Amino acid sequence: MRRPLIIGHEDTPEGADALALGAQLAHAFNANPVVVRAVPVPESALNAPESTEALKAVAAEELKQPVARLEGPGAAAEAAASTSAARALHELAEGRNAIAIVVGSSDRGVLGRIVPGSTAERLLHGAPCAVGVAARGYAAEGTRPLRLAAAYDGSEEAEQAVRAGVALARRCNSSLTLFTVVGNAGSDGYPGDPLVDSRVPGMDTRTRQERRARELLDDRVGVVPADLPVHARLLHGAPGQALVDVSEDFDLILVGSRGYGPLRRTFLGSTSRRLFNGSHCSVLALPRGIDADVLGEKADSLAAR
Amino acid sequence: MMAGESEDPLTRPEPSKLRIVVGCDGEEQSRDALELARQLAEPIEAELTVAAVLTYDPLLPFDLDPYEAALAERFDQIFEFAAEQLAGESFECCRLTGPSPAGELSGLAERLEADLLIVGSSHRGRLGRIYPGSVTDSLLSGAPCPIAVAPRGFSDRVADSMKVIGVGFDARPEADAALGLAVELATRLRARLQLIAAVSYRLPIASEFAAPLDVRAVERERLETGVGDAASSASVERSETSVEDGYPADILVDWSDRVDLLVIGSRGYGPLRRVLLGGVGAQVVRRAGCPVIVVPRLAVGDPPQRTSAAAGPIEVEGR
């Protein structure tokens, strides 16, 4: 059964960006794109019959145009009410077992930054599925093969981002670039720390670190199917900022959820938080735990929820 | 610096002690977290654990003896720093290493069944105000126990006892956990409980989605009933209530300058038993002038306040 992919819609340029990215991802994930107008409604009015009627009217009028722009089968439009827009999208995704929620950049921030307390930020803390945030201007760029990137540090979470990236690249005929970041020296106890180097004559932790990162990246690229155009690049600096700096060259960067916290939930770690805050391109955060539909694999035991 | 009232043997705290964990990295701003830990732990005789996390790069293989030595030295420095700031308060030390300080603290809080995890504000925030840094930010999204955040510069204030505990209360089920912890702390600290409710200006007077209702009037009535019921059933010596019109975040931030500690709940959706900020909470933890505790949402059937059995001293060397 095809699962829904929820597109949070607003009648703004950012809403159009979300629609464009959502349509592309729905196609890639073999999901039904559902355009949703999330309506914040006071709690006392939430269950009034008038509310239900008004919501239906909203869905019919406001969403007529956006849903018409979605091609393919299974496209739908609806309005969802809850005490906040983020909550409405979250609850809908939970109730329908959605594969992802896609929203536009916050209209309050500069350069599409994720603003604390915004709808996108709240979704990125604990959503029951993948969360994509479309970069500002994404809709205006027109459809073309995606330039995909994924961050890889050898962790299980990053491995999932890479696998999702491989699956997406295959279905969208896209290129995929894997990044490994060699961290900055200087923080407490960091191996690149001069503290360690000064204790052992000839020790150069920085070089060791760099060599290990290169091995890791090469090993991972080595097991990607040979027919996919995959590139590998080593970056230097603070991991989040290093990814922000290269984000201009891509259309979508995939990141895993952090390595602690509940399974099947999207929770950002500090690297992806920084990336979402500054990225020039769209970003997709994946929940912790493998989602076979995202990977396009028939893994029955894993797909069972 | 003395805090807390003198112990009255007749009103000794309940036998089961609260377990408080405080994160400390040895930097100046962790003084604030330590000071908050001292002010809370001392009068209620809580079990106090100071946790230090040193990060390492997961890309490096660990066969470096000198690295071990450097870490040990750094841990010792951090605990000396903590002991100095805690001024005689006894505590257990916990040494953690891992790629993510928030992940390590979160895991420790879970293992110890901590009742409270205390952290500081970022040095980039305004003096006297709360402003989460990246570790605190991560904990405020997803930690498994209540998170207390100390304002920047809290350790420089003239230490006083915690006399008034404020609690943000919207009479929704998700506020029960915050109320539970606020009542527990107010009882143990013998402080006054201040229930704070707000009828939001954001609510339309008449909603287009519910034309016949005067939404604000309905909301005010709901809140007045809710805080009244909560205050009368709370087992505290003294409590007061307030229902004000305004933006809830503004009202709570205003109150943060008039109470000694502010307790708020997590938002009403997302995983249970995890700290998660809603729109109001996200603003409060960036502007409040007093320490703020954010409490996870309870699952149905959870006791209103979990008090863990005292765990023995532990030394965790995670890697």
Side-chain angles (χ1 to χ4, degrees):
Chain A
M1 207 185 95
R2 281 159 67 95
R3 289 160 64 186
L5 180 142
I6 289 169
I7 304 169
H9 184 263
E10 283 172 50
D11 196 12
T12 59
E14 291 77 24
D17 296 332
L19 195 68
L21 179 65
Q24 239 169 340
L25 289 178
H27 173 72
F29 291 148
N30 199 26
N32 293 332
V34 181
V35 192
V36 177
R37 164 77 202 280
V39 188
V41 168
E43 183 158 306
S44 45
L46 207 48
N47 296 315
E50 294 85 352
S51 306
T52 320
E53 288 307 310
L55 285 173
K56 279 185 190 154
V58 166
E61 283 167 34
E62 277 188 35
L63 300 176
K64 200 184 291 173
Q65 264 202 321
V67 79
R69 273 188 269 164
L70 293 171
E71 296 157 13
E78 62 187 277
S82 193
T83 48
S84 74
R87 185 171 184 163
L89 293 172
H90 182 113
E91 287 172 344
L92 192 67
E94 203 156 40
R96 303 276 177 85
N97 188 20
I99 199 163
I101 304 172
V102 176
V103 293
S105 292
S106 167
D107 52 4
R108 280 184 290 164
V110 268
L111 296 170
R113 283 165 49 92
I114 308 282
V115 178
S118 67
T119 299
E121 204 229 10
R122 271 179 273 170
L123 288 171
L124 287 162
H125 296 162
C129 60
V131 179
V133 178
R136 191 161 289 194
Y138 191 82
E141 285 169 17
T143 320
R144 54 152 189 259
L146 290 171
R147 294 165 300 169
L148 294 170
Y152 183 66
D153 64 1
S155 67
E156 200 182 312
E157 306 78 60
E159 171 63 23
Q160 287 177 13
V162 171
R163 287 175 64 189
V166 168
L168 262 185
R170 192 172 286 291
R171 277 174 283 171
C172 302
N173 293 320
S174 309
S175 65
L176 174 66
T177 304
L178 303 188
F179 288 108
T180 295
V181 187
V182 182
N184 268 338
S187 54
D188 279 333
Y190 220 76
D193 204 318
L195 188 67
V196 175
D197 290 347
S198 65
R199 279 162 182 269
V200 191
M203 171 65 76
D204 179 0
T205 45
R206 186 62 189 234
T207 306
R208 290 176 71 119
Q209 198 180 15
E210 177 129 2
R211 198 189 311 141
R212 177 79 190 106
R214 170 56 67 189
E215 279 168 15
L216 194 76
L217 192 54
D218 289 347
D219 287 353
R220 188 60 187 90
V221 170
V223 294
V224 171
D227 58 325
L228 264 187
V230 176
H231 311 280
R233 268 179 72 186
L234 218 54
L235 302 176
H236 294 84
Q241 186 57 44
L243 292 169
V244 167
D245 291 344
V246 296
S247 63
E248 221 156 345
D249 303 334
F250 296 92
D251 299 301
L252 181 67
I253 299 183
L254 293 98
V255 290
S257 281
R258 66 194 191 194
Y260 58 98
L263 281 172
R264 302 216 175 280
R265 295 280 179 172
T266 295
F267 272 103
L268 299 188
S270 54
T271 299
S272 42
R273 195 186 300 261
R274 177 73 197 92
L275 178 60
F276 268 101
N277 271 328
S279 180
H280 300 282
C281 75
S282 305
V283 185
L284 181 69
L286 300 157
R288 198 167 158 233
I290 294 169
D291 191 318
D293 287 338
V294 170
L295 300 176
E297 293 168 358
K298 287 271 172 269
D300 296 333
S301 59
L302 291 168
R305 287 175 57 121
Chain B
M1 293 195 292
M2 274 301 293
E5 296 161 36
S6 60
E7 277 301 327
D8 179 350
L10 295 176
T11 53
R12 193 181 286 269
E14 290 164 33
S16 90
K17 290 184 174 181
L18 293 188
R19 175 166 284 272
I20 296 177
V21 176
V22 53
C24 175
D25 61 2
E27 299 294 326
E28 268 314 295
Q29 58 271 19
S30 57
R31 283 190 195 284
D32 300 323
L34 290 165
E35 175 59 18
L36 177 58
R38 196 184 65 78
Q39 288 193 23
L40 285 174
E42 196 175 66
I44 68 175
E45 294 179 10
E47 309 264 1
L48 184 62
T49 302
V50 176
V53 189
L54 295 181
T55 50
Y56 69 87
D57 188 331
L59 289 178
L60 256 187
F62 270 93
D63 52 357
L64 300 172
D65 285 346
Y67 180 50
E68 289 288 347
L71 285 183
E73 201 171 279
R74 184 73 192 121
F75 274 126
D76 290 344
Q77 284 169 3
I78 292 174
F79 292 122
E80 256 170 57
F81 173 90
E84 178 198 315
Q85 185 66 39
L86 287 169
E89 176 72 17
S90 69
F91 62 92
E92 286 161 15
C93 300
C94 188
R95 297 157 193 256
L96 301 163
T97 52
S100 151
E104 294 304 318
L105 290 173
S106 196
L108 177 72
E110 205 152 20
R111 289 196 296 279
L112 292 181
E113 295 183 33
D115 296 292
L116 193 61
L117 170 57
I118 302 179
V119 285
S121 288
S122 165
H123 63 280
R124 286 170 307 197
R126 272 168 63 205
L127 197 62
R129 296 276 138 185
I130 285 187
Y131 194 88
S134 66
V135 175
T136 301
D137 231 350
S138 290
L139 289 167
L140 287 171
S141 113
C145 77
I147 298 295
V149 191
R152 189 181 154 213
F154 185 69
S155 66
D156 296 332
R157 293 184 191 175
V158 176
D160 202 354
S161 56
M162 299 261 169
K163 292 196 187 78
V164 186
I165 312 283
V167 56
F169 191 75
D170 63 3
R172 289 190 191 144
E174 54 264 29
D176 287 350
L179 181 65
L181 183 62
V183 166
E184 170 112 30
L185 289 173
T187 308
R188 290 180 186 248
L189 292 160
R190 303 176 65 196
R192 175 162 70 79
L193 182 71
Q194 175 68 51
L195 283 129
I196 305 159
V199 182
S200 178
Y201 280 161
R202 281 188 216 288
L203 293 176
I205 289 172
S207 167
E208 60 174 308
F209 296 111
L213 292 175
D214 178 343
V215 177
R216 278 193 213 165
V218 171
E219 182 70 359
R220 173 169 273 281
E221 196 183 322
R222 189 182 74 80
L223 286 172
E224 279 172 351
T225 312
V227 292
D229 291 351
S232 59
S233 61
S235 57
V236 287
E237 283 172 35
R238 283 167 300 150
S239 65
E240 284 177 25
T241 65
S242 148
V243 181
E244 290 172 53
D245 290 312
Y247 295 112
D250 290 349
I251 288 173
L252 288 167
V253 170
D254 275 356
W255 270 102
S256 77
D257 292 321
R258 285 176 276 160
V259 299
D260 299 307
L261 180 68
L262 182 61
V263 185
I264 60 174
S266 289
R267 66 183 199 202
Y269 59 99
L272 295 165
R273 301 195 186 97
R274 299 277 172 175
V275 170
L276 280 168
L277 296 172
V280 173
Q283 290 194 49
V284 172
V285 300
R286 277 170 179 77
R287 290 163 53 199
C290 73
V292 172
I293 299 180
V294 189
V295 184
R297 191 156 62 109
L298 294 171
V300 176
D302 279 355
Q305 176 56 35
R306 183 192 53 175
T307 47
S308 57
I314 63 155
E315 281 281 319
V316 189
E317 299 287 353
R319 177 168 283 179

